[in-house]
Structures are given as structure tokens and as C-alpha cells.
């Protein structure tokens, strides 16, 4: 009986052992199968894509929204999401998935994606937009998007109707752009209301013993706006302290020499001592408003402004700046500034809005509240992120319409998205200094850009790419000949 029980126990143990062995063996077989399938999948991915797969994914240097990290899987990402190809390598990224709300797009500067079936949009940075290097022939499903926040002098071709209307989406300084960047140099309302650098009027009156009423700081001389000619004439009627390379008659401390010091606290404190700052833009364009305008307002100094014809739409209050356009001659402007300089009550009216912390311009307040990006704010996307997401979202909108069999929505820029007139030069008297070669350049350069713009439009209409070279250019006749290189 005992032997029988032992045999039953032994048999049970053997059964349990065999069962465990079979389970372990089965698990090993399953894992080996997974390994082989993974190995086979990776080998297929590497075939023909080895170089691209070895490139790591780089995050946008300013990226604040959460990106999707897909190490060594950029090819798969491009196969599953719309491709946004930066034709101008502004971001320097070889590949990144960007999340824009519920939409995801693949952003890259890699031009090998030119003919990829998922490439939907080409992103251009205006300063680098070059007519002899474009993704032509342009396909019907390829959208073009322009990002250009800088002066027109960087690329005048964009400011003509034949070129600006090539783009489907725009982010420019114009309020009419799809993504307006008009307030790109203004952090927010708080910096305008801040009294951090404000020097009391009594102190400014005392400082007038050693300082001029006006200050001018420019090192980009003889730009298209011809501002230096105006200031030179103004100096014959009123004292101006000029610290920059242009018309310099006063020196900054050694540690403040250089463009990096323009946002330094010590530099701000020097400017804040003055009553008036000459805030002259380098170009005259609607809504082209730079830090030259916002800086004096931040410091509690009255800007004497020349530039955007639409600047009245962006003033913090009706009386917060003196507009050069309202005076027929620098002599009249000088007379008005002297009047304010000697009458504290009249001068105080121009800074009352700041002392009370009241911004009455609803257009300005709305623009700051509704813009989809921030300035020097780590909690918000910057305007490049916002531009990318604008294009990504609009591309996805059309993809969804296409999937439903509905007509696609076509977006197109017009001339209001970048509007700048032909540059002009001041000539206040027959005794005015002879124009410099740089001043003489801007008007013919503008005329030349018209011809280049039309040539590009014709080339785009033909749907083929040819390289052009300038064969002759007579500056007197403003005649430009563009000859295709065969």
C-alpha cells in the first residue's frame, strides 16, 4: 500500500514537472518568434533608409509645445503624417513631429522629401526667399507659406503683387496677414505701464543742462526710409544727441558699444533721461513697427516717430507720440518740440497715460490678447511655433474635407499682406548734402525687384524651373535683363 502511494505521488510530480517544462518551452518559442519578427521588420526599415534612420530627431530650439519623440523612426513618421518642408532652413531640424492641438505634422529641412507623396506644404523664410532656388515645378497639392517679420530691404521681391500672391499662408508684420506679427517687439501691456525706468519730469528738466531734448541712436545708416537725411536737417533747428554710428556726436560708455547692449538696463537708463527719442524706422510700410517705437514708451520717453503710415492705430493712447508725418518740415517739428520742452503741462500730457497706467487703444489691447504667440514668454509658443501650427492645421482641415469628398478650401495671400511703397529720398534744400551711394541704391533696387517678381511669376506659371542670371543692369535706365541659363 505504501509503495502504491509513493508511485502515485511520483507520478503526480512528474506530471507537474512536465507541465511546467512545456509552459516554459512554449514561452521561449513565443519570445523567439517576436524577436525574429522584430529583426525582420528592422531589416526592412533599414533597406534604402539607413542614412536617414541613423539621424537623431532634433527638437526645435524654441519649441514649447510637447513634441513626439520617435527615435530612429522618422521615415515611418513621414509616411503617416503630412510633411511640412522648411525650404529655408530656419529651424535647422532634420525631422520632428510637432503636435498642434489635435493635429500632428512632420517638420523637416531635408529637401529629399521634395517628391514625397506626403509632402503638403513648403515653408519659406522671407529673407532667404531666392528666385533661383525654388521647389518647382509646383504641384497642385503643394501649399506655400511665407514667414517674414523683417524689413522690406532684406528682400523687396516679396512686396510686389506677382510674388506675394504665390503664397497660400503668411505670417508677416501686416495686420492683414493670416498670422499678424505687428506686435512682435512688444511683450505685453505690463511693460508699457511699468514705471521701472521712468525718470521724473523735474529730474529731466535738471538734466537738460547737459543733455539735448532729443536723442537719436542708429547704426544702420542710410536705409530706404532715408531717416538720416531728415535727422541731419532737424539738427540744424534743434539740438540732438546722436550716439550711434549714424550722425554720431556723443559717445556711449565703452561697455555699451555693440548691438547686444541695446536691451541692457544701463542703456535704457541713459535713454530714459531724455524727454524725446527719435524713433525712425528703416522702411516705411503699413504696420511695420519695431522696437524703435515700443522702447521709448517702455522707458517713459515721448517717441518722435517716423515710419508706418498706420502707426496711429497702435498708439497706447491718442496722445502718446509725436508723429513726424504731421509736420511739413523738420523746422516745424523742431519748433513744436521746443514748445513742449519749455511747457511742463503740455509735455506731461504725452506721458499721462503711462503715469495712470491706462491704455485706451482697444485695437492694441485686442491684438495683444488674441495673438497666438508670446514674446520672451516661456509659457507660450513663439511666433515660429505658431506659424508652423497655423500651416499644419490648415493642411489637416483640407485633408479632412478631402476624406469627406468635399471641396477643398483655398487660402491665398494678397498685396495687403506685405505693403510697402517705393522708397523716397528727402531733399529739403538745394544745399542738402549729395546723396551717398547707399541712398542712391534703394530706388533702383526696388525697381529691379519688380522685374524679378514678374519673372518669377512667369516661371511659376510655366511650371518648370530655370536658373536666371543677370546679364546687364543699367542703374540709370533701371533696365534689368533676365536670361535663362540652359
Amino acid at each position: 500500500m505504501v509503495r502504491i502511494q509513493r508511485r502515485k505521488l511520483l507520478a503526480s510530480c512528474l506530471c507537474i514537472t512536465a507541465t511546467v517544462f512545456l509552459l516554459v518551452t512554449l514561452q521561449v518559442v513565443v519570445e523567439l518568434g517576436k524577436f525574429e519578427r522584430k529583426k525582420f521588420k528592422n531589416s526592412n526599415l533599414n533597406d534604402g533608409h539607413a542614412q536617414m534612420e541613423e539621424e537623431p530627431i532634433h527638437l526645435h530650439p524654441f519649441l514649447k509645445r510637447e513634441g513626439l519623440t520617435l527615435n530612429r523612426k522618422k521615415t515611418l513618421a513621414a509616411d503617416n503624417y503630412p510633411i511640412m518642408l522648411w525650404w529655408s532652413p530656419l529651424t535647422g531640424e532634420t525631422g520632428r513631429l510637432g503636435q498642434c492641438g489635435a493635429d500632428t505634422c512632420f517638420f523637416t529641412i531635408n529637401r529629399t522629401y521634395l517628391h514625397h507623396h506626403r509632402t503638403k506644404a513648403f515653408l519659406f523664410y522671407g529673407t532667404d526667399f531666392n528666385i533661383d532656388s525654388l521647389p518647382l515645378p509646383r504641384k497642385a497639392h503643394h501649399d506655400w507659406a511665407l514667414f517674414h517679420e523683417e524689413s522690406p530691404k532684406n528682400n523687396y521681391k516679396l512686396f510686389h503683387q506677382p510674388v506675394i500672391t504665390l503664397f497660400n499662408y503668411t505670417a508677416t508684420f501686416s495686420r492683414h496677414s493670416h498670422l499678424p506679427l505687428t506686435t512682435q517687439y512688444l511683450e505685453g501691456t505690463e511693460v508699457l505701464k511699468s514705471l521701472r525706468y521712468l525718470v521724473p519730469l523735474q529730474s529731466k528738466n535738471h538734466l537738460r543742462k547737459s543733455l539735448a531734448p532729443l536723442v537719436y541712436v542708429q547704426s544702420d545708416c542710410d536705409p530706404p526710409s532715408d531717416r538720416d537725411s531728415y535727422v541731419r536737417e532737424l539738427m540744424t533747428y534743434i539740438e540732438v544727441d546722436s550716439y550711434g554710428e549714424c550722425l554720431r556726436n556723443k559717445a556711449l560708455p565703452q561697455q555699451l558699444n555693440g548691438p547686444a547692449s541695446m536691451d541692457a538696463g544701463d542703456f535704457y537708463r541713459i535713454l530714459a533721461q531724455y524727454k524725446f527719442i527719435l524713433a525712425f524706422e528703416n522702411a516705411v510700410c503699413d504696420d511695420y513697427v519695431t522696437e524703435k517705437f515700443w522702447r521709448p514708451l517702455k522707458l517713459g520717453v515721448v517717441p518722435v516717430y517716423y515710419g508706418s503710415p498706420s502707426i496711429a492705430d497702435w498708439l497706447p493712447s491718442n496722445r502718446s507720440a509725436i508723429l513726424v508725418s504731421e509736420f511739413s518740415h523738420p523746422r516745424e517739428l523742431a519748433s513744436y518740440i521746443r514748445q513742449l520742452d519749455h511747457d511742463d503741462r503740455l509735455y506731461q500730457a504725452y506721458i499721462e497715460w503711462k503715469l495712470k497706467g491706462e491704455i485706451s487703444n482697444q485695437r492694441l489691447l485686442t491684438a495683444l490678447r488674441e495673438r497666438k504667440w508670446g514674446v520672451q514668454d516661456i509659457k507660450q509658443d513663439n511666433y515660429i511655433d505658431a506659424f508652423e501650427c497655423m500651416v499644419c492645421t490648415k493642411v489637416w482641415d483640407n485633408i479632412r474635407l478631402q476624406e469627406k469628398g468635399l471641396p477643398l478650401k483655398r487660402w491665398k495671400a494678397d498685396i495687403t499682406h506685405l505693403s510697402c511703397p517705393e522708397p523716397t529720398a528727402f531733399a529739403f534744400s538745394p544745399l542738402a548734402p549729395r546723396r551717398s551711394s547707399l541712398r542712391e541704391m534703394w530706388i533702383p533696387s526696388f525697381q529691379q525687384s519688380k522685374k524679378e517678381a514678374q519673372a518669377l511669376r512667369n516661371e511659376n506659371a510655366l511650371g518648370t524651373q530655370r536658373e536666371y542670371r543677370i546679364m546687364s543692369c543699367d542703374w540709370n535706365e533701371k533696365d534689368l535683363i533676365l536670361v535663362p541659363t540652359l
Side-chain angles (χ1 to χ4, degrees), residues 29-42:
V29 171
V30 171
E31 292 299 325
L32 285 174
K34 289 181 178 179
F35 176 78
E36 289 299 324
R37 284 194 299 273
K38 183 177 180 180
K39 181 178 179 181
F40 177 75
K41 182 179 179 181
N42 286 341

Side-chain angles (χ1 to χ4, degrees), residues 57-92:
I57 288 183
H58 301 286
L59 293 179
H60 193 293
F62 301 112
L63 188 65
K64 298 177 183 68
R65 62 183 180 271
E66 182 178 358
L68 300 179
T69 302
L70 297 176
N71 291 328
R72 301 177 180 274
K73 292 185 180 179
K74 285 187 294 183
T75 301
L76 287 178
D79 285 337
N80 289 282
Y81 299 98
I83 299 172
M84 310 287 108
L85 177 53
W86 271 102
W87 199 251
S88 310
L90 182 64
T91 65

